[in-house]
Structures are given as C-alpha cells and as structure tokens.
Amino acid sequence: MAYLRIPQTDDYNSNTNYKRYNFRVNLDYEVTKTLSFSLLAGVRSERRTDPIGGGGGGSAAVLTSLFTLPPNAFPILNQDGTYGGTSVYQTNPLGQLQNSGVYKAITNVLQATISAKQKLDFVTPGLSANVFFSYDNYGNYTYGFTQNYAVTNQTLTPAQTFRTPAVLAYQFAGFGTSTKNNEVWAGFDYDRTTGDHKINASARAQQGTSAAVDRIDYNERLYVGRVDYGFKNRYFLGFTGSYSGSENYAPGRRFGFFPAGTIGWLASDEDFFKSVKAISYLKLRASYGRNGNIGPTYDANGNLVRLPYRALFTRGAGPILGSSFSSTTTAYEVSPTGNPLTTWEKINRLNVGADLGFFDNAINLSADYFNETRTDILGSSNLPGILGVGVSSVNSGKVNSKGVDMNVIYTKNFKSLNVSLNGNFTYAANKLLEQSLPGIISYQSPLGYNIGNVTSSGTKRFYVSDGLFQSQDEINASPKQSLSGLVVPGDIKYKDINGDNVIDSRDAVATNYTDIPNVYYGFGFNISYKLFDISTQFQGVSGRTVDIRPVVYAGPNALNQLSLDAWTPATAATAKFPRTALSDNANNNASSDFWLRSGNYIKLRTVELGVTLPQRLTYKLHMQRARFFVGGYNLLTFSKLKDYGIDPETTMAGRAGNYPYLKTYTLGLNVKF
C-alpha cells in the first residue's frame, strides 16, 4: 500500500493540529476553628490549526471532496507537479490541504469557584452559613492565511487551467466570542442527629448572569429549600421546593414554584424481615414533584427569540400611504407580536422504585418505574394568516413519557477466581397528547404518536410505498404520481391514501417511526484469575428506525457503492433501491417508508485483556505493580444495516463531510512504583 506524504509550503503549516495546556489549583484553608475557605481554579489554553480547505470549510471540506469526487475525475498531481482538475471538478483535495490557507485559533478558558463556610453551633448545633461564588470566562482569537490555487486538465490539447491563483494573504484576525458567566448563592445548612432522629436541611438564594458583547445578558434568580428527615435510619421523608425566576417571561409571570416530595422505607431492617434469608437488603422508595423548564421560543423563520413577551419591529415592505409614497417604500411592521402570557414549561414526575440485595448482596438489583407529563410546552401559535401578523410561541403542548429502568450486578469470589457480571435495561415511551395545530387531516395529525422523527426536515409524515414500478403499463394503471414531473419504471410507487386517484401531499400519513430508541440495554463482565483478567461491555438499542435515503444518495451526483443495487431493467427482480437519476428525482426523494430501516443494534463497546506480572518479578524491578493490557473499542456491530455498510448509530459516518466511524485498538503497560 502506498502512502501520500503531504509536503507543506514554506509560508505556513496547515496540518491539522490541536494542543491544550491545563493548570489547576485546589486550595482548602481553615481560617479559624469555625470558618473554612476553599478555592478551586482552572485555566485552559487551546491551540488549534486547520486547513481552510476552500470556502472556510476546514477539514470537513476536505473530507467532503474526498467523498464526493469520482475516483477517476482527475489525477491529484499532474506529471509536471501541477494540481489536476477539470472544468466540472475544480476542487483538488491536495490543493485544499496545501494551498487554500490555514486557520488558527487560540481559545482561553478560566473557571474559578470560591466558597466559605461558617459554623454557627453557638446558635444551635449543626447550623452553618455558606456562601459560594463562581466565575467562568471564555474567549478566543483567530488568525491565519488565505490562498488559492489553480488546477490544470492536461488531458486536453492544449491543456486548460481553471481557478484563479491568489497570493498568500492574511486572514482577518480578531477576537471572537467572549463570554463571562458568574453565579453567587448564599444560605444556611442544618445537619443534626438526635437519638433516632436525623434532620438535614438547607436554604439557598441564588443569582446568575451570563454576559457576552454580542447579546443581551441572561439573568436568572432562584430561592430553594430542602428538608430531609430520617427515623431510625429506616424511615425517610423529604421535601424540596424552589421559587425560580427567569427574565424570559413578562413581569408577573417570571416566577414559578416547583415542589417535590420523597418517601423511603428500608424494609430489610424490620424485625419481621430477618427470617427472609434470600433477600439481604430491600429499600422501597417513591417521589413525586414538579420541575420547571425555560422553553426556547422561535420566530416564523426558526430564529431563537429572546424575551418573547415583547413585540418586535421589522423593517420591511409596508403599505402605500398617501400620494408621496411609492410601492418600494419600506416601513416598520410588527413581526412577531409579543405574547405576555408565555411562562414556564411544567414537568410533573412520578418515580417508584426498589433496591434489593440477594444472598448476602452477591446480587444487587435496582428497579424504577417513572411517569412524566410535560405541560405548557412552547409551540407555534396557529393563528389564521388573515391577521397579518405572527405571534411568538404559546404554551400549548403536552407530552407524556413513561417506562422502567433496571440494572443488576452479580459479584462472587471463588478462591483465585473473581467474577463480576452486570446488566442494565431501560424502556421509555413517549406520546404527544396536545399541540397547537392548524386545520389538519386526521391521519396526518401527530397527536397520539411519539415525538421523535427520522427525517432531516423534521416531518413525521411519510408516503406509504407499494414497491417499484416495473413497467409503463403499471404506471398508467396507477393513481397519478404528482410528486415529480417524470415518473418511469424503476420509480417508487405510492398508495393513494385519500382515494382521489392522485398522489400528492394529502397522501402522506403521520407515523410512529422514530430515530430515538425506546429500549436501551447493556451487559458485560469482569473476570480475573490469578494474574489474568478480561473485561467486556456490550451496548444495544431497540425500537429505533433510521432513514437511509441520505446515505443512498450521498456522493458525486448522488452516486456511491450502494448505487450498484439501484433498479435497472436487468436487475428489476432483485433491486433494493429505485433507479438512479441526475435530475427530476423528487418522486424517489420524498419521505416515505420505502427508505426506513431498523436501526436496532448491539455493539461490543469495550474489551480488554490483561496480565499482571508476579510480585516476585516486579519487586526485583523495583516496582509495586505492573500490568500489560490489550483492548479495543467498538470492535463488533450486529445490525441489519451492516449489509449496506451503514453504521446504525451514526448512519452518515464516513460520508460527505462526516468523519469515518472508528474502531480503536489499545496496547499498554500500567506500572506503579
């Protein structure tokens, strides 16, 4: 195998490079017997270098070129050393790396926290006062060089050169985003045990600010209190309440009260439970409470809107007023109008669980059932267009999520053999219950379906496919396909859902397909025997569906190795995908269940084999312990998508500008002196 060494120019080095320097200090100081002080501070400085790659795309632009250029488009280098290229393909990956310029960035981050605690036992035992301050500062500086290169097609006579070379020039240099965040809180803690009674309580007041030069500051305020009570270390009660405020909402609606309560019982400590030999530990617990969420609001163009209760004015085309105004006169218009009723999204959570230990805690099991309902979710206003003005988001959505979460660990020692097995399982299902919707056909409504989707456009509606057209006679006998101007044999055939004999947007249906799994699970083991050890961990998901259409159509002119499975008259009986087309392919590019595949998978995430040297040998080498190990990460994947060469977890890995999927192998030595 031959490797291409990329020489650098004399003016700059554009090799991708990343360096990071860290400095940390942790300081704890006892000022007096009752007053303590703590300082935690860290400074991080990063240096990043990346080839500009053309268009400012950096390394991603180079990866895109490598994937989208046909392998026979042109030679990378001509015989005379010039860059190869054609009138159609004028981007040369080597030219992108060597002669497009270089981007450099310096990023500095400071994080610091200061806290102090004053014991107030002279007031009452267990009472203390606390204050905490944190400060984060992020800033970056960018600079570099820009350049351009020419490409030459020497297969023509005479040879033709494309692109205009540009001499080396300085790239715009300057300071970028500078963000300063600070948070301060103060309060009291109380921790005391008296006989069988244990009380732990706290009260806090908090103020936080995030400032940047290019936006209005973010501010938030919080008052919170918590009380936990335990009796005989067997019965437990807890209460938490927060009064939270956000400037994102109008005065009078900025604060919300969010309480929660917990209860627990350590049943295995009861006298009547002592006779149950198999169960060595049993704790039952439950909690219910309400949380608040500051939901984001967006305008009609999808832009984030700060302070949505305010009316915004936009300069645009306005009405013609009087005889002196022309049709090109612009005026200020309200867009969108404010909604002073927006407020916190609410999340009501119920959790019931148990922790169990079996056979002297050789087996430990934890299981939870959860049920969560979100209300007042911000969404579009769904007002008629005749009003002539848009309204920022309204609290109109409602979603329910529920499921179970379990994990189990088994540990056992058999003389020189130590075994540890583990497993976890999570099932979570969600359903959209309410949403502000325009007039919509019933079978296109997302209500009652899960909130996930599998398309980049965000839609949950899909056409229902009925195979591929095999002949023109079949096309003539089917409902009119109106999704594109051209429909020929090899195109996807769709079902006429509303029965009007025309395939159009009214035939797309809402579905329950989602690229968010509803089941997550994992299992693994750690086994050691004398000097040898092995550990593995598998991880998998189920209930996930992915849309492979972007993968099938990735590549130059939407062609790649999967195009070999496209429909042709010769492969009509075995074709996996519709015919290839350079244009007018909207029919096959529509969102449909034809492209949906199972995204379920099981992966061998980690595996490691190790050997620990005998102590008699390590002592001779003046070492306390030495261990050799070899391992790997993401070594195996079991999935139905493997036949397509698609990784089910990151379907676009290695395609377009996306970094390829990696398997990692490690070989190392761990020594303790």
Side-chain angles (χ1 to χ4, degrees), residues 336-349:
T337 187
N339 178 11
L341 300 180
T342 55
T343 187
W344 292 79
E345 296 180 356
K346 284 87 174 178
I347 309 159
N348 297 321
R349 290 190 173 101

mmCIF file with all atom_site columns, all heavy atoms in Angstrom, residues 336-349:
data_model
loop_
_atom_site.group_PDB
_atom_site.id
_atom_site.type_symbol
_atom_site.label_atom_id
_atom_site.label_alt_id
_atom_site.label_comp_id
_atom_site.label_asym_id
_atom_site.label_entity_id
_atom_site.label_seq_id
_atom_site.pdbx_PDB_ins_code
_atom_site.Cartn_x
_atom_site.Cartn_y
_atom_site.Cartn_z
_atom_site.occupancy
_atom_site.B_iso_or_equiv
_atom_site.pdbx_formal_charge
_atom_site.auth_seq_id
_atom_site.auth_comp_id
_atom_site.auth_asym_id
_atom_site.auth_atom_id
_atom_site.pdbx_PDB_model_num
ATOM 1   N N   . PRO A 1 336 ? -42.410 39.298 15.251 1.00 0.00 ? 336 PRO A N   1
ATOM 2   C CA  . PRO A 1 336 ? -43.780 38.939 15.598 1.00 0.00 ? 336 PRO A CA  1
ATOM 3   C C   . PRO A 1 336 ? -44.293 39.835 16.730 1.00 0.00 ? 336 PRO A C   1
ATOM 4   O O   . PRO A 1 336 ? -43.503 40.541 17.366 1.00 0.00 ? 336 PRO A O   1
ATOM 5   C CB  . PRO A 1 336 ? -43.631 37.496 16.098 1.00 0.00 ? 336 PRO A CB  1
ATOM 6   C CG  . PRO A 1 336 ? -42.272 37.516 16.757 1.00 0.00 ? 336 PRO A CG  1
ATOM 7   C CD  . PRO A 1 336 ? -41.427 38.456 15.950 1.00 0.00 ? 336 PRO A CD  1
ATOM 8   N N   . THR A 1 337 ? -45.564 39.783 16.967 1.00 0.00 ? 337 THR A N   1
ATOM 9   C CA  . THR A 1 337 ? -46.101 40.479 18.123 1.00 0.00 ? 337 THR A CA  1
ATOM 10  C C   . THR A 1 337 ? -45.795 39.680 19.384 1.00 0.00 ? 337 THR A C   1
ATOM 11  O O   . THR A 1 337 ? -45.618 38.470 19.334 1.00 0.00 ? 337 THR A O   1
ATOM 12  C CB  . THR A 1 337 ? -47.619 40.675 17.988 1.00 0.00 ? 337 THR A CB  1
ATOM 13  O OG1 . THR A 1 337 ? -48.081 41.492 19.064 1.00 0.00 ? 337 THR A OG1 1
ATOM 14  C CG2 . THR A 1 337 ? -48.342 39.343 18.032 1.00 0.00 ? 337 THR A CG2 1
ATOM 15  N N   . GLY A 1 338 ? -45.679 40.352 20.497 1.00 0.00 ? 338 GLY A N   1
ATOM 16  C CA  . GLY A 1 338 ? -45.318 39.678 21.727 1.00 0.00 ? 338 GLY A CA  1
ATOM 17  C C   . GLY A 1 338 ? -46.471 38.880 22.322 1.00 0.00 ? 338 GLY A C   1
ATOM 18  O O   . GLY A 1 338 ? -47.640 39.129 22.046 1.00 0.00 ? 338 GLY A O   1
ATOM 19  N N   . ASN A 1 339 ? -46.119 37.924 23.142 1.00 0.00 ? 339 ASN A N   1
ATOM 20  C CA  . ASN A 1 339 ? -47.123 37.139 23.860 1.00 0.00 ? 339 ASN A CA  1
ATOM 21  C C   . ASN A 1 339 ? -46.800 37.223 25.352 1.00 0.00 ? 339 ASN A C   1
ATOM 22  O O   . ASN A 1 339 ? -45.944 36.488 25.852 1.00 0.00 ? 339 ASN A O   1
ATOM 23  C CB  . ASN A 1 339 ? -47.120 35.686 23.392 1.00 0.00 ? 339 ASN A CB  1
ATOM 24  C CG  . ASN A 1 339 ? -48.120 34.829 24.156 1.00 0.00 ? 339 ASN A CG  1
ATOM 25  O OD1 . ASN A 1 339 ? -48.953 35.343 24.892 1.00 0.00 ? 339 ASN A OD1 1
ATOM 26  N ND2 . ASN A 1 339 ? -48.031 33.526 23.986 1.00 0.00 ? 339 ASN A ND2 1
ATOM 27  N N   . PRO A 1 340 ? -47.469 38.125 26.077 1.00 0.00 ? 340 PRO A N   1
ATOM 28  C CA  . PRO A 1 340 ? -47.151 38.301 27.504 1.00 0.00 ? 340 PRO A CA  1
ATOM 29  C C   . PRO A 1 340 ? -47.580 37.132 28.370 1.00 0.00 ? 340 PRO A C   1
ATOM 30  O O   . PRO A 1 340 ? -47.288 37.116 29.566 1.00 0.00 ? 340 PRO A O   1
ATOM 31  C CB  . PRO A 1 340 ? -47.926 39.573 27.866 1.00 0.00 ? 340 PRO A CB  1
ATOM 32  C CG  . PRO A 1 340 ? -49.074 39.594 26.908 1.00 0.00 ? 340 PRO A CG  1
ATOM 33  C CD  . PRO A 1 340 ? -48.541 39.021 25.627 1.00 0.00 ? 340 PRO A CD  1
ATOM 34  N N   . LEU A 1 341 ? -48.271 36.137 27.799 1.00 0.00 ? 341 LEU A N   1
ATOM 35  C CA  . LEU A 1 341 ? -48.763 35.010 28.589 1.00 0.00 ? 341 LEU A CA  1
ATOM 36  C C   . LEU A 1 341 ? -47.805 33.829 28.609 1.00 0.00 ? 341 LEU A C   1
ATOM 37  O O   . LEU A 1 341 ? -48.061 32.840 29.298 1.00 0.00 ? 341 LEU A O   1
ATOM 38  C CB  . LEU A 1 341 ? -50.130 34.552 28.054 1.00 0.00 ? 341 LEU A CB  1
ATOM 39  C CG  . LEU A 1 341 ? -51.245 35.601 28.075 1.00 0.00 ? 341 LEU A CG  1
ATOM 40  C CD1 . LEU A 1 341 ? -52.533 35.014 27.522 1.00 0.00 ? 341 LEU A CD1 1
ATOM 41  C CD2 . LEU A 1 341 ? -51.464 36.149 29.476 1.00 0.00 ? 341 LEU A CD2 1
ATOM 42  N N   . THR A 1 342 ? -46.703 33.905 27.853 1.00 0.00 ? 342 THR A N   1
ATOM 43  C CA  . THR A 1 342 ? -45.754 32.792 27.878 1.00 0.00 ? 342 THR A CA  1
ATOM 44  C C   . THR A 1 342 ? -45.182 32.630 29.282 1.00 0.00 ? 342 THR A C   1
ATOM 45  O O   . THR A 1 342 ? -44.922 33.602 29.997 1.00 0.00 ? 342 THR A O   1
ATOM 46  C CB  . THR A 1 342 ? -44.600 33.017 26.892 1.00 0.00 ? 342 THR A CB  1
ATOM 47  O OG1 . THR A 1 342 ? -43.974 34.275 27.175 1.00 0.00 ? 342 THR A OG1 1
ATOM 48  C CG2 . THR A 1 342 ? -45.083 32.994 25.468 1.00 0.00 ? 342 THR A CG2 1
ATOM 49  N N   . THR A 1 343 ? -44.957 31.394 29.679 1.00 0.00 ? 343 THR A N   1
ATOM 50  C CA  . THR A 1 343 ? -44.445 31.128 31.017 1.00 0.00 ? 343 THR A CA  1
ATOM 51  C C   . THR A 1 343 ? -43.709 29.787 31.014 1.00 0.00 ? 343 THR A C   1
ATOM 52  O O   . THR A 1 343 ? -43.471 29.198 29.953 1.00 0.00 ? 343 THR A O   1
ATOM 53  C CB  . THR A 1 343 ? -45.600 31.134 32.042 1.00 0.00 ? 343 THR A CB  1
ATOM 54  O OG1 . THR A 1 343 ? -45.042 31.032 33.356 1.00 0.00 ? 343 THR A OG1 1
ATOM 55  C CG2 . THR A 1 343 ? -46.559 29.980 31.809 1.00 0.00 ? 343 THR A CG2 1
ATOM 56  N N   . TRP A 1 344 ? -43.385 29.304 32.182 1.00 0.00 ? 344 TRP A N   1
ATOM 57  C CA  . TRP A 1 344 ? -42.568 28.095 32.334 1.00 0.00 ? 344 TRP A CA  1
ATOM 58  C C   . TRP A 1 344 ? -43.274 26.856 31.771 1.00 0.00 ? 344 TRP A C   1
ATOM 59  O O   . TRP A 1 344 ? -44.483 26.712 31.894 1.00 0.00 ? 344 TRP A O   1
ATOM 60  C CB  . TRP A 1 344 ? -42.290 27.832 33.808 1.00 0.00 ? 344 TRP A CB  1
ATOM 61  C CG  . TRP A 1 344 ? -41.407 28.840 34.469 1.00 0.00 ? 344 TRP A CG  1
ATOM 62  C CD1 . TRP A 1 344 ? -41.788 30.081 34.918 1.00 0.00 ? 344 TRP A CD1 1
ATOM 63  C CD2 . TRP A 1 344 ? -40.028 28.708 34.759 1.00 0.00 ? 344 TRP A CD2 1
ATOM 64  N NE1 . TRP A 1 344 ? -40.720 30.727 35.478 1.00 0.00 ? 344 TRP A NE1 1
ATOM 65  C CE2 . TRP A 1 344 ? -39.615 29.898 35.408 1.00 0.00 ? 344 TRP A CE2 1
ATOM 66  C CE3 . TRP A 1 344 ? -39.091 27.693 34.572 1.00 0.00 ? 344 TRP A CE3 1
ATOM 67  C CZ2 . TRP A 1 344 ? -38.310 30.103 35.837 1.00 0.00 ? 344 TRP A CZ2 1
ATOM 68  C CZ3 . TRP A 1 344 ? -37.795 27.893 35.000 1.00 0.00 ? 344 TRP A CZ3 1
ATOM 69  C CH2 . TRP A 1 344 ? -37.412 29.082 35.622 1.00 0.00 ? 344 TRP A CH2 1
ATOM 70  N N   . GLU A 1 345 ? -42.482 25.999 31.157 1.00 0.00 ? 345 GLU A N   1
ATOM 71  C CA  . GLU A 1 345 ? -42.971 24.652 30.900 1.00 0.00 ? 345 GLU A CA  1
ATOM 72  C C   . GLU A 1 345 ? -42.931 23.877 32.213 1.00 0.00 ? 345 GLU A C   1
ATOM 73  O O   . GLU A 1 345 ? -41.997 24.036 33.004 1.00 0.00 ? 345 GLU A O   1
ATOM 74  C CB  . GLU A 1 345 ? -42.101 23.939 29.865 1.00 0.00 ? 345 GLU A CB  1
ATOM 75  C CG  . GLU A 1 345 ? -42.133 24.583 28.496 1.00 0.00 ? 345 GLU A CG  1
ATOM 76  C CD  . GLU A 1 345 ? -41.263 23.855 27.482 1.00 0.00 ? 345 GLU A CD  1
ATOM 77  O OE1 . GLU A 1 345 ? -40.575 22.889 27.889 1.00 0.00 ? 345 GLU A OE1 1
ATOM 78  O OE2 . GLU A 1 345 ? -41.262 24.229 26.303 1.00 0.00 ? 345 GLU A OE2 1
ATOM 79  N N   . LYS A 1 346 ? -43.961 23.050 32.465 1.00 0.00 ? 346 LYS A N   1
ATOM 80  C CA  . LYS A 1 346 ? -44.042 22.284 33.705 1.00 0.00 ? 346 LYS A CA  1
ATOM 81  C C   . LYS A 1 346 ? -43.823 20.806 33.430 1.00 0.00 ? 346 LYS A C   1
ATOM 82  O O   . LYS A 1 346 ? -44.289 20.277 32.423 1.00 0.00 ? 346 LYS A O   1
ATOM 83  C CB  . LYS A 1 346 ? -45.397 22.452 34.388 1.00 0.00 ? 346 LYS A CB  1
ATOM 84  C CG  . LYS A 1 346 ? -45.580 23.775 35.116 1.00 0.00 ? 346 LYS A CG  1
ATOM 85  C CD  . LYS A 1 346 ? -46.095 24.833 34.183 1.00 0.00 ? 346 LYS A CD  1
ATOM 86  C CE  . LYS A 1 346 ? -46.426 26.125 34.912 1.00 0.00 ? 346 LYS A CE  1
ATOM 87  N NZ  . LYS A 1 346 ? -46.883 27.175 33.971 1.00 0.00 ? 346 LYS A NZ  1
ATOM 88  N N   . ILE A 1 347 ? -43.114 20.157 34.345 1.00 0.00 ? 347 ILE A N   1
ATOM 89  C CA  . ILE A 1 347 ? -42.814 18.732 34.226 1.00 0.00 ? 347 ILE A CA  1
ATOM 90  C C   . ILE A 1 347 ? -43.210 18.061 35.528 1.00 0.00 ? 347 ILE A C   1
ATOM 91  O O   . ILE A 1 347 ? -42.584 18.294 36.569 1.00 0.00 ? 347 ILE A O   1
ATOM 92  C CB  . ILE A 1 347 ? -41.322 18.497 33.939 1.00 0.00 ? 347 ILE A CB  1
ATOM 93  C CG1 . ILE A 1 347 ? -40.864 19.346 32.749 1.00 0.00 ? 347 ILE A CG1 1
ATOM 94  C CG2 . ILE A 1 347 ? -41.045 17.024 33.698 1.00 0.00 ? 347 ILE A CG2 1
ATOM 95  C CD1 . ILE A 1 347 ? -39.391 19.588 32.696 1.00 0.00 ? 347 ILE A CD1 1
ATOM 96  N N   . ASN A 1 348 ? -44.250 17.251 35.510 1.00 0.00 ? 348 ASN A N   1
ATOM 97  C CA  . ASN A 1 348 ? -44.692 16.501 36.686 1.00 0.00 ? 348 ASN A CA  1
ATOM 98  C C   . ASN A 1 348 ? -44.130 15.086 36.595 1.00 0.00 ? 348 ASN A C   1
ATOM 99  O O   . ASN A 1 348 ? -44.382 14.374 35.619 1.00 0.00 ? 348 ASN A O   1
ATOM 100 C CB  . ASN A 1 348 ? -46.216 16.456 36.758 1.00 0.00 ? 348 ASN A CB  1
ATOM 101 C CG  . ASN A 1 348 ? -46.812 17.853 36.924 1.00 0.00 ? 348 ASN A CG  1
ATOM 102 O OD1 . ASN A 1 348 ? -46.264 18.680 37.647 1.00 0.00 ? 348 ASN A OD1 1
ATOM 103 N ND2 . ASN A 1 348 ? -47.928 18.116 36.258 1.00 0.00 ? 348 ASN A ND2 1
ATOM 104 N N   . ARG A 1 349 ? -43.367 14.690 37.618 1.00 0.00 ? 349 ARG A N   1
ATOM 105 C CA  . ARG A 1 349 ? -42.668 13.409 37.586 1.00 0.00 ? 349 ARG A CA  1
ATOM 106 C C   . ARG A 1 349 ? -43.085 12.533 38.762 1.00 0.00 ? 349 ARG A C   1
ATOM 107 O O   . ARG A 1 349 ? -43.086 12.977 39.903 1.00 0.00 ? 349 ARG A O   1
ATOM 108 C CB  . ARG A 1 349 ? -41.155 13.604 37.643 1.00 0.00 ? 349 ARG A CB  1
ATOM 109 C CG  . ARG A 1 349 ? -40.525 14.200 36.405 1.00 0.00 ? 349 ARG A CG  1
ATOM 110 C CD  . ARG A 1 349 ? -39.010 14.098 36.495 1.00 0.00 ? 349 ARG A CD  1
ATOM 111 N NE  . ARG A 1 349 ? -38.352 14.515 35.268 1.00 0.00 ? 349 ARG A NE  1
ATOM 112 C CZ  . ARG A 1 349 ? -37.791 15.710 35.101 1.00 0.00 ? 349 ARG A CZ  1
ATOM 113 N NH1 . ARG A 1 349 ? -37.827 16.587 36.079 1.00 0.00 ? 349 ARG A NH1 1
ATOM 114 N NH2 . ARG A 1 349 ? -37.210 16.020 33.950 1.00 0.00 ? 349 ARG A NH2 1
#
